[in-house]
Each structure stands twice: as C-alpha cells, then as structure tokens.
Amino acid sequence: MRILLFLIPLFLFESINAQQRQIDSLIKLSSKATQDSLKLKYYQEICVICETKDNLKYGQICTTLAGKLIANAPTKSEREKYIRKKIDAYNVIGIYYEDLELIDSVEKNNKTRLELARQTNNISLINEQLENLAGFYSRENLYTKIMNLYTDELKKAEKENNKEQIIFTLIGIRETYGQMRNHKKSLEYSLKVLELEKSNVKDSSKVAYAYFNVGQKYYNLFDYEKAVFYYLKSYSILGKKINNRDKSFYLFHLARAYNEQKNITESRNYLLKALDIVNEMGDSVIIGVVYSEIGQTYFYETNFDRALEYKLKGISFINGKSDGDAFLPYLSTGQIYLKIKQYKLAEQYVLKAKKIAEDRSLIHNQRAVMRVLADIYIGNGDVAKSNAYLVKYYQLNDSINKLKNTEELLFKELNYENEKNETQLKAEQEKQNALHSEEKKKQSVILYSVLGVLFLLSILAITIFKNLRKTREANRIIALQKSEVEEQKHLVDEKQKEIVDSITYAKRLQQAILPPQEFFDKHIPNNFILYKPKDIVAGDFYWAEKVDNLFFIAAADSTGHGVPGALVSVVCSNALNRTIKEFKLTDTGKILDKTRELVLETFEKSASEVKDGMDISLLCIDSKNKNGYWSGANNPLWYIQDSELKEIKADKQPIGKSDYPKPFTTHQIEYKADTTFYLFTDGFADQFGGPNGKKFKYKQFSDLLIKNNNLSQSQQADIINKAFTDWKGDLEQVDDVCIIGIKL
C-alpha cells in the first residue's frame, strides 16, 4: 500500500510533466523554424494538447501567424487555407472564453470568425460560422439577434438571386421560430422552403426532408391529418433509397401522428415495424423511445397494465443514457400511475421528469410537470402541496405568455418585404369607408335598438324571477358542501401534522449520524460547515473520523433529498464508518471502493433493482507529514494555496451501481501553511435564482471563495450563506446544500 501511495502521485506528476515537455519541445522547434507556416503548424499542435487555461495565450500566437500568412498568400486558395486556420485559432480562444463564461467575449469571438469567413467565397464556411453564431445566441435566448442575423443574410441572398443561400436563411428563420414555439410562423417558413426545394432535381432527399419538416410543423399545431399526409409524401419520395435508421425515424413519426388521431391500430402497426428495425440497429435509447410510444397506444385504449409494461420497458433502455429522451416516458408513466390511483409511484416518476426539465431549463416541460404533480397531490389528499404546484404551474404559464408577448422578432422578420406600410394604408382607407357606411345605418339602428330593449326587458323580468328560485336552492346546496369541505380539510390538516411530526423526529435521528461541531473544532480549529437541507431531513450529509494522526472528512450527496435521501444517507454513512473501523482502511481510494461494495451489498437484499448511492468528496489530512490524500465520486476538491484556486477532478462514477465501475483514484497533495480546502455537494452551484432565474454555477461559486479566502472561516460561512439566500430570492431551494471549509 505504501508503494502504491508513492507511485500514484508520481505517475500523475510524470503525466503532467510529459505534457509540458511535449509543449516545450514544440515551442523549441517553432523558434528554430524559418517559415511562418511551419511555426503555425507547431503552435496548432500545442493548442490541441494544452490545458484550456492556456488556450488564449497559444491561440493568439496562432492568429498572429495566420494573419501574416494571409497577407502574403500568393493565391486565392492559399489565402483561404490560412483564413480557415485563423478561424480554427479563434475557435480555440472561444473555448477559453466559454470556460470562463465571458459571454460578451464569446459573442465577439463568434462575430470575428464570421467576418473572416466572409473574406472568402466559400459559402459552406460562411454558413458554418453563421450557424455557430446563431447557436450561441440560441443558448443565451437572444432570439431577436438570431432573426436579425438571418434576415440580413436573406436580403443579401435575394439581391444576388442565390437560391441555395435563400433556402439556408429561410431554414434558419424557420428553426428559430420553432425554438420559440411559434409553430404557425415556423410552418409558414417550412412551406416556403418546400416550394423552393421542389425544383431540386439533383437531390430528392432534400425535397423529402422539406416535406417531412412541413409534417412536423402540422404535428406541432395538432393538425395530425396533414402531418400524416406530408410524412407519407416524404417517405414515398425516398422510396427504396432510405436506410434503416431513417426508415425507423419515419415510421416512428407516422405512428405518433396516427396515435394522436386515436387511430391506434395503424399507429401500433407502424411502431412494431419500427421496433423490428431498431432492435437490429441495437441503439438502446431509440429502442426505449419506441417501446414507450407503444405503451402510449395502450394508454389511449385505457389498457393500463399493457401501457405500463411497455413504458417501463422503454425506461429501462433509456435510463442513464439520454435524459432528454427520458422526460416524456417518465412523465407519461407517472400519468398512468395517476390514472390507476397509485399516487406514490406516480409521484416517483413525475419527480424524475421534473428534475430533467429543471436541469435542462425547459420551461414548457416544467409547466406540464407542475400540472400533473398538482393532480397527484390532490388525489392523495395533500391539498397544500397540490395548491403549491398549481401556483407554480400558473407562474410558469405567465412566464411563457410574457415571453410570447414581449418578443420583438415578429416585426423584424418581414422588414425585407416592405409590406407593412402598404397594409397600414389599406386598413386606414377601409376604416374611413366603414365609418361613412356606418353613419347611414345609424338612424335605423336606433329605432330597432329601442324596440329590442323593450323586448329584452320583458324577457329579463321573467328570467330574474326564475333565477331567484334557483339561487335560493343553490345557496342551500353550497352551505351543505361547505360543511363537508371544512370537515375534509380538518382531516387533511390532522394527517399533515402527523406526517410533519414524524419527519421532524426523523431529523433528530439523522442528526445523530452527523459528527458534532466540537469534534471538528478539536482536530481542525479553523473550519466552517454550511449545511442547508432542502426539506426537514436531507440526502446531503457530512462525515468525519480520526485514526491515529490521520483526520478524515467528507461531504456527501445521497440520491434524492427529503425522506428518501435521508434513508440513503444513513446507509452510506454507516458504510463509511465500517470501512474505517471494521476493515481498517486508510487509503481514500480504497475507502470509496469498499464503501461502494458495502452500499451495493445493502441494496442487493431488495427484491427490486435499487440504483441509489451517493456522490462524495473525501479528504484525509496527515498533519504530521503535511500531506493530504483525496478521492472523489463525481464531486471535485477545491483548495486555495498562495491565493490561487486549484481543482482536483473526481472520478466520473457514483458510490453505487454504475455501468462501468473502476477503482477510485487516490490523489496526494503536499500542502503549505494557510492552505484552505473546500469540500461540497452540487446543491449550491445548481440553485436557480438571480435576475434571470438561472443556476448559480461553479464559476461564480469559485470566484466567491477566492474573493473571501483571506477572511476567517466563520466570516466565509456567513458570506456564502448570504450569497445563497440573495441569489435564491423568492424561488424554491432546489436541492440540499453542504459546504465544508478547513484551513491548515
């Protein structure tokens, strides 16, 4: 073990040194090179192997060298070649800016690459950079800027009568409207693309795809009959040329449209054909999606047993591989359990869909989840929770409506046609004509109005008399219903109090597994622990143990939060204790290996498959030899030494069941005096808030730690807690928070 502890850090040190030696060797070769093209080649190789933090330095050297070569290029082809290399260099710099989340610099970098591409006659290169810039704007939700970009390009393409470029820009506008969920406008541009592509005799696949895209837009607009028509048209154009992957794709979308039409027989027929193909292909995610859609056909037939069979089979294929594709299967499975009044299982699956929607910031999906959760909780009698989720549903609904109402794109995209003024003039003239005609009719309208009012008054008198009798009867019924509701509310309040009292007692039990503050203060006086459970009990927990001159400390994040997370935390904490006390392990990597083994052993006793476990950051301090040893499962270690924050990345696997388990790595750290270590879970960085309701993120978190590192540990804890509270504002806390700071 001692040999391993010596060799592992030595191997890591040698790996880093080997990379630096390779970079130094390339720099030396460049200094000896007499041609700028050769120097550029060496520095491009450096950009491939260097760390992201060095991208700016080496990328700028490449842009300078490429600029010289562009200026002295003897031919157009040579000039274009070095323009491409300069774009590649700016791309390297862009990765540096993105890593630091410098949004303005990322935008400027994308614009520079586009301007460089425009210096060539290469349409493919220009369009590639247009798509890169549009993609950046899309990630930042800057749809107005995307539309400005494509409409300006469209004007230019129309002026030059460049059909291919017109199609390219129309597709860009079409996709932007699709991202905004303005499906009517997206359909309008899909039809324009289709009309232009119909004359494309060279590539029938483009015509087929244009038909398919129109079908997609009709599907999004709930016009499933037209969707089927365009899907079939597209499918027939491709004929025998279609490959298996595309064929399964078409069959699946046809089936979905038939399913929405409640043509279950036709839908299931196409889905089973698609299933045969995707089973041969072996793509588990696609197989899972098809199984889930077959389940939907049974759902429409109210055959809930078969629906669940296929839905759960679909989830088993998708689970852990593609969160985006897992959202609908999780949500629809929850809806099926809701239908059969199995509320606990319904809640379990819908909460998984909720996490995916929140992680991917998909506001429409979040809205759908809130509506289903409200129905689940009203079904199991939890009125308070149901009302809370209904409020969230309406808040999200308002947010979506505000996005639609404030969007400026609808005015920009028609500027190039200059039709707005003509439409306004025509409307004004029609208004004047209408006023003139209205004046002529005014006298006759007054006469008929008086007669009509007299007739209506007589009808109204009769109606009032009848309504008085109905109102008295309705008031009697309402009084009875009110009495029943108040009685039910009293029962619900009593049940809720019993549940809260039980969970509060469970909190006392969970706190028993947490080491007391005095234990930390005795062995590491300069410390802080910021522990903020999302609910009364938590999935996050902290752990510490002392063995001879070694002090172990960990911050862990168990699967889930609330009561389920707390139960998992007890299992994981017990496993950590056993590795130290029963198995006498002191190597952090081996501790995590053994902990995983013990956790899996505990859950394997269950008849059903349990994939719960934890992510953890485990640090061992050898104060006698001034050494630290660390291992992590998904969660990294940060430490600040000489005013610089350093990070050790964790192994990308949990303490629990995983597809490709491997031994955990032990990292050795030779620390100096006044080094501060930070162990944490993901709850702080993942909290939504701020002016735009976005995640706090790790970059902002690290900046906060660096800025306040010179303060005492208790002051740091107060500042971090205040930053969290201010960022969260009125939003709900999304996860448990656990942050530990120790200064040695």
Side-chain angles (χ1 to χ4, degrees):
M1 186 180 291
R2 288 177 182 173
I3 294 170
L4 278 173
L5 286 172
F6 174 76
L7 289 177
I8 290 171
L10 187 66
F11 172 77
L12 293 172
F13 180 75
E14 181 59 30
S15 176
I16 294 167
N17 276 352
Q19 180 184 349
Q20 189 56 50
R21 284 197 299 271
Q22 192 177 356
I23 291 172
D24 292 341
S25 174
L26 288 166
I27 292 172
K28 190 173 181 181
L29 287 169
S30 176
S31 66
K32 292 180 180 180
T34 56
Q35 296 179 344
D36 285 337
S37 59
L38 195 54
K39 290 180 180 180
L40 177 60
K41 177 179 177 294
Y42 291 135
Y43 274 102
Q44 283 183 314
E45 291 179 20
I46 291 172
C47 287
V48 172
I49 61 174
C50 73
E51 294 184 22
T52 304
K53 65 183 179 65
D54 295 323
N55 277 20
L56 180 63
K57 176 172 66 176
Y58 295 122
Q60 286 177 337
I61 293 172
C62 288
T63 60
T64 303
L65 289 169
K68 289 181 183 179
L69 291 162
I70 291 166
N72 298 317
T75 63
K76 284 185 178 180
S77 61
E78 281 286 302
R79 186 170 182 274
E80 183 175 317
K81 170 185 170 183
Y82 291 116
I83 286 175
R84 280 180 174 275
K85 291 185 180 295
K86 192 170 184 179
I87 290 172
D88 291 341
Y90 272 109
N91 189 39
V92 169
I93 295 170
I95 294 169
Y96 169 83
Y97 290 139
E98 286 177 0
D99 192 58
L100 294 177
E101 298 182 14
L102 302 174
I103 302 304
D104 291 340
S105 298
V106 175
E107 179 181 14
K108 185 177 178 182
N109 181 278
N110 273 283
K111 285 182 175 179
T112 300
R113 282 148 56 190
L114 176 58
E115 289 307 311
L116 281 168
R118 290 192 192 280
Q119 293 176 23
T120 72
N121 293 323
N122 190 321
I123 295 298
S124 296
L125 184 61
I126 293 169
N127 289 348
E128 180 185 336
Q129 300 310 316
L130 278 167
E131 287 178 335
N132 286 339
L133 181 54
F136 161 72
Y137 285 143
S138 177
R139 291 191 296 274
E140 297 300 320
N141 297 323
L142 300 171
Y143 295 116
T144 303
K145 288 194 174 185
I146 303 176
M147 196 63 77
N148 288 338
L149 181 69
Y150 280 126
T151 49
D152 288 345
E153 191 66 24
L154 180 58
K155 289 178 188 177
K156 184 179 175 184
E158 287 183 328
K159 187 176 180 181
E160 295 171 356
N161 196 26
N162 185 333
K163 181 183 171 183
E164 286 189 10
Q165 197 64 2
I166 290 171
I167 291 173
F168 172 81
T169 51
L170 289 175
I171 289 173
I173 295 170
R174 176 192 76 191
E175 295 306 308
T176 305
Y177 277 122
Q179 291 169 18
M180 293 165 59
R181 291 180 171 268
N182 189 335
H183 300 306
K184 286 185 179 179
K185 297 298 290 184
S186 188
L187 171 62
E188 179 184 325
Y189 281 90
S190 292
L191 290 168
K192 288 180 180 181
V193 171
L194 176 58
E195 286 306 308
L196 289 169
E197 290 285 21
K198 279 181 181 179
S199 60
N200 192 341
V201 294
K202 293 181 180 178
D203 191 348
S204 60
S205 63
K206 288 186 177 181
V207 183
Y209 183 70
Y211 271 107
F212 176 80
N213 203 275
V214 172
Q216 285 286 74
K217 306 311 171 189
Y218 277 118
Y219 182 91
N220 292 334
L221 288 166
F222 313 112
D223 190 339
Y224 303 117
E225 187 177 345
K226 285 185 179 177
V228 168
F229 171 81
Y230 281 95
Y231 286 156
L232 289 171
K233 185 75 174 174
S234 175
Y235 191 56
S236 66
I237 291 171
L238 289 171
K240 294 181 180 179
K241 297 178 185 177
I242 192 168
N243 59 44
N244 273 349
R245 178 172 288 275
D246 288 343
K247 189 173 183 180
S248 66
F249 181 78
Y250 275 89
L251 292 171
F252 177 77
H253 282 85
L254 269 167
R256 277 210 315 169
Y258 278 123
N259 210 359
E260 295 295 344
Q261 286 183 296
K262 305 298 185 291
N263 188 342
I264 307 303
T265 303
E266 201 68 36
S267 175
R268 197 177 295 146
N269 179 38
Y270 279 111
L271 284 169
L272 291 171
K273 288 179 181 178
L275 186 61
D276 288 339
I277 296 170
V278 297
N279 274 326
E280 288 180 18
M281 291 160 50
D283 189 322
S284 60
V285 172
I286 298 176
I287 293 169
V289 170
V290 175
Y291 269 117
S292 179
E293 195 64 23
I294 294 172
Q296 199 66 21
T297 66
Y298 286 110
F299 177 75
Y300 283 134
E301 291 179 333
T302 66
N303 187 342
F304 298 130
D305 289 340
R306 294 301 301 276
L308 280 173
E309 177 188 340
Y310 279 95
K311 288 285 182 183
L312 294 173
K313 194 165 186 177
I315 288 172
S316 71
F317 279 97
I318 301 170
N319 193 23
K321 299 181 180 68
S322 176
D323 282 348
D325 292 303
F327 172 78
L328 279 176
Y330 277 134
L331 181 63
S332 55
T333 301
Q335 289 172 314
I336 295 170
Y337 279 122
L338 173 61
K339 283 283 187 184
I340 59 178
K341 298 183 179 181
Q342 292 193 30
Y343 300 116
K344 286 291 182 186
L345 287 169
E347 179 188 30
Q348 175 186 331
Y349 282 93
V350 177
L351 286 176
K352 288 180 180 180
K354 177 176 178 283
K355 186 177 187 309
I356 294 169
E358 288 174 345
D359 288 347
R360 297 165 69 87
S361 300
L362 299 172
I363 189 169
H364 290 80
N365 288 356
Q366 290 177 46
R367 178 179 64 174
V369 165
M370 299 307 165
R371 177 73 258 186
V372 179
L373 283 171
D375 291 341
I376 289 170
Y377 291 122
I378 200 66
N380 66 15
D382 194 336
V383 177
K385 267 195 175 181
S386 177
N387 288 338
Y389 279 108
L390 270 178
V391 169
K392 290 177 184 178
Y393 168 79
Y394 287 117
Q395 286 173 342
L396 289 168
N397 205 46
D398 289 343
S399 298
I400 291 167
N401 289 333
K402 283 176 185 176
L403 285 174
K404 290 178 181 176
N405 293 336
T406 59
E407 189 48 61
E408 300 172 357
L409 298 176
L410 297 177
F411 297 98
K412 183 66 181 176
E413 52 93 8
L414 288 177
N415 282 351
Y416 73 96
E417 293 178 340
N418 293 318
E419 292 180 352
K420 185 178 177 183
N421 290 335
E422 291 179 17
T423 303
Q424 288 176 337
L425 287 171
K426 185 178 178 182
E428 188 64 31
Q429 185 62 46
E430 288 177 354
K431 183 179 178 182
Q432 291 297 329
N433 293 339
L435 286 172
H436 183 68
S437 175
E438 191 70 22
E439 190 64 32
K440 291 181 179 180
K441 296 177 182 177
K442 191 173 182 180
Q443 296 301 322
S444 59
V445 168
I446 291 172
L447 176 62
Y448 287 117
S449 295
V450 171
L451 294 172
V453 167
L454 291 172
F455 176 76
L456 288 173
L457 283 172
S458 62
I459 297 296
L460 182 62
I462 296 168
T463 305
I464 289 171
F465 177 76
K466 289 182 177 179
N467 284 342
L468 279 171
R469 287 195 303 179
K470 288 182 180 178
T471 302
R472 289 180 188 139
E473 180 62 18
N475 286 339
R476 188 181 67 80
I477 294 169
I478 289 169
L480 289 172
Q481 290 176 338
K482 182 180 178 183
S483 174
E484 291 175 3
V485 168
E486 286 175 350
E487 186 180 347
Q488 290 297 320
K489 183 179 183 299
H490 178 69
L491 290 172
V492 168
D493 288 344
E494 283 187 349
K495 284 293 181 185
Q496 186 175 12
K497 185 177 183 303
E498 289 175 12
I499 293 167
V500 171
D501 288 346
S502 297
I503 297 173
T504 303
Y505 185 77
K507 179 183 179 182
R508 292 170 55 193
L509 298 177
Q510 189 186 29
Q511 284 177 335
I513 74 169
L514 301 176
Q517 182 64 50
E518 294 79 14
F519 183 78
F520 286 92
D521 294 341
K522 178 181 176 181
H523 298 292
I524 302 180
N526 292 325
N527 73 80
F528 75 82
I529 300 170
L530 182 61
Y531 185 59
K532 297 174 74 69
K534 178 185 184 298
D535 302 306
I536 299 172
V537 289
D540 282 15
F541 68 95
Y542 52 92
W543 175 87
E545 192 59 68
K546 180 79 167 59
V547 178
D548 298 325
N549 63 315
L550 302 178
F551 184 77
F552 296 88
I553 184 169
D557 180 2
S558 304
T559 305
H561 47 72
V563 174
L567 292 172
V568 177
S569 75
V570 172
V571 172
C572 294
S573 177
N574 181 57
L576 282 168
N577 287 328
R578 288 184 64 193
T579 59
I580 298 288
K581 296 176 180 177
E582 183 178 337
F583 296 95
K584 309 296 182 186
L585 299 177
T586 56
D587 179 285
T588 56
K590 292 188 180 299
I591 288 172
L592 295 191
D593 290 338
K594 191 65 180 178
T595 300
R596 174 170 58 191
E597 180 183 330
L598 295 173
V599 169
L600 289 174
E601 180 180 298
T602 301
F603 287 136
E604 279 174 358
K605 295 172 184 175
S606 169
S608 58
E609 184 180 16
V610 179
K611 294 186 178 180
D612 293 321
M614 66 175 169
D615 299 334
I616 190 171
S617 176
L618 172 64
L619 178 65
C620 172
I621 300 297
D622 182 356
S623 53
K624 181 179 178 181
N625 299 309
K626 296 288 183 185
N627 274 331
Y629 303 93
W630 178 84
S631 298
N634 288 326
N635 289 343
L637 173 71
W638 289 354
Y639 64 98
I640 297 178
Q641 190 169 274
D642 299 329
S643 300
E644 181 184 354
L645 187 142
K646 300 181 180 180
E647 178 182 21
I648 303 179
K649 295 186 183 299
D651 292 307
K652 295 297 180 184
Q653 57 180 350
I655 301 295
K657 191 164 187 178
S658 60
D659 293 333
Y660 305 102
K662 59 181 181 180
F664 285 94
T665 308
T666 300
H667 301 270
Q668 183 179 3
I669 309 157
E670 294 181 6
Y671 63 86
K672 302 177 183 178
D674 294 330
T675 297
T676 306
F677 291 91
Y678 296 98
L679 299 88
F680 48 87
T681 59
D682 59 0
F684 190 97
D686 285 350
Q687 178 60 45
F688 288 94
N692 299 316
K694 293 188 175 182
K695 288 186 180 181
F696 193 92
K697 294 189 178 179
Y698 287 99
K699 177 63 173 61
Q700 194 175 183
F701 182 25
S702 64
D703 289 345
L704 182 67
L705 296 180
I706 294 168
K707 181 180 177 182
N708 299 289
N709 180 244
N710 292 327
L711 301 177
S712 69
Q713 299 300 293
S714 62
Q715 287 174 316
Q716 287 188 51
D718 291 341
I719 289 170
I720 295 169
N721 187 46
K722 185 177 185 303
F724 180 83
T725 303
D726 292 346
W727 181 262
K728 181 173 75 69
D730 295 328
L731 296 180
E732 182 184 4
Q733 183 174 333
V734 299
D735 200 357
D736 303 321
V737 172
C738 181
I739 304 171
I740 302 171
I742 58 172
K743 188 171 185 177
L744 303 175

